[in-house]
Amino acid sequence: MPQQPCHITLTSPDATARMAAALAPLLRGGDVLLLAGGIGAGKTHFARALIQSLLPVPEDVPSPTFTLVQVYDTPEFEIWHSDLYRLSHPDEVVELGLPDAFESALCLVEWPDRLGDLAPLSALSLDFALDAAEETRQLTMNWTAPEWDSRLEGILDVVA
């Protein structure tokens, strides 16, 4: 377990995309990323960049705000990108099939507070916050699963 959260300043949309691309090769099926933050904080931009860096053939990666879930195929695993903003109860998460996807797909979950107690304990939490400087975001990463310690080692060096 990290001694303290990992804080990263993302100075531009390009820096956010670089962070996503640096994290992407460290991920695998069964990983869950909980993307928190207010509207416009950079969650979807981050998810879009991460997904595009994992796809074998580039394709459009729309926001799942209205579809709730978008699924992408990679040679190794499926990617589920979900936006739970419009959900009002965790039972709706079950209806979407997310708990089953958590077992084998890489799942990117925007508005993870809607999961309630369905959020996997092994998830990597990424909290995006607007900064006073234009286009700058503050990213705070938290995790409790010990495997993230070694998997994320050196990520700050890649992003800087």
Side-chain angles (χ1 to χ4, degrees):
M1 183 179 335
Q3 297 298 321
Q4 55 189 343
C6 177
H7 300 284
I8 302 168
T9 298
L10 302 168
T11 57
S12 67
D14 285 343
T16 301
R18 281 194 308 276
M19 174 63 191
L23 183 59
L26 307 176
L27 302 173
R28 56 185 176 240
D31 286 342
V32 177
L33 303 185
L34 305 176
L35 308 176
I39 293 173
K43 301 178 301 294
T44 301
H45 181 74
F46 177 89
R48 185 175 285 130
L50 191 145
I51 292 165
Q52 288 174 333
S53 71
L54 290 171
L55 292 175
V57 176
E59 65 179 88
D60 185 39
V61 178
S63 169
T65 300
F66 295 104
T67 59
L68 302 180
V69 174
Q70 295 285 134
V71 179
Y72 305 90
D73 290 314
T74 73
E76 293 82 27
F77 48 79
E78 284 186 331
I79 302 170
W80 283 48
H81 180 198
S82 61
D83 183 327
L84 307 182
Y85 181 74
R86 297 185 306 127
L87 300 188
S88 58
H89 194 275
D91 288 347
E92 295 171 292
V93 172
V94 175
E95 292 174 20
L96 292 174
L98 270 175
D100 291 333
F102 290 160
E103 295 178 23
S104 60
L106 167 60
C107 295
L108 310 176
V109 182
E110 296 187 44
W111 302 96
D113 58 309
R114 308 307 202 268
L115 288 171
D117 62 2
L118 297 174
L121 296 175
S122 61
L124 174 63
S125 296
L126 294 95
D127 190 358
F128 294 84
L130 296 170
D131 190 271
E134 188 176 340
E135 295 192 347
T136 298
R137 304 294 188 262
Q138 296 298 323
L139 171 61
T140 302
M141 297 172 42
N142 287 295
W143 61 90
T144 56
E147 70 181 73
W148 287 112
D149 292 339
S150 59
R151 289 173 68 190
L152 295 174
E153 192 174 322
I155 192 83
L156 295 178
D157 299 333
V158 174
V159 177

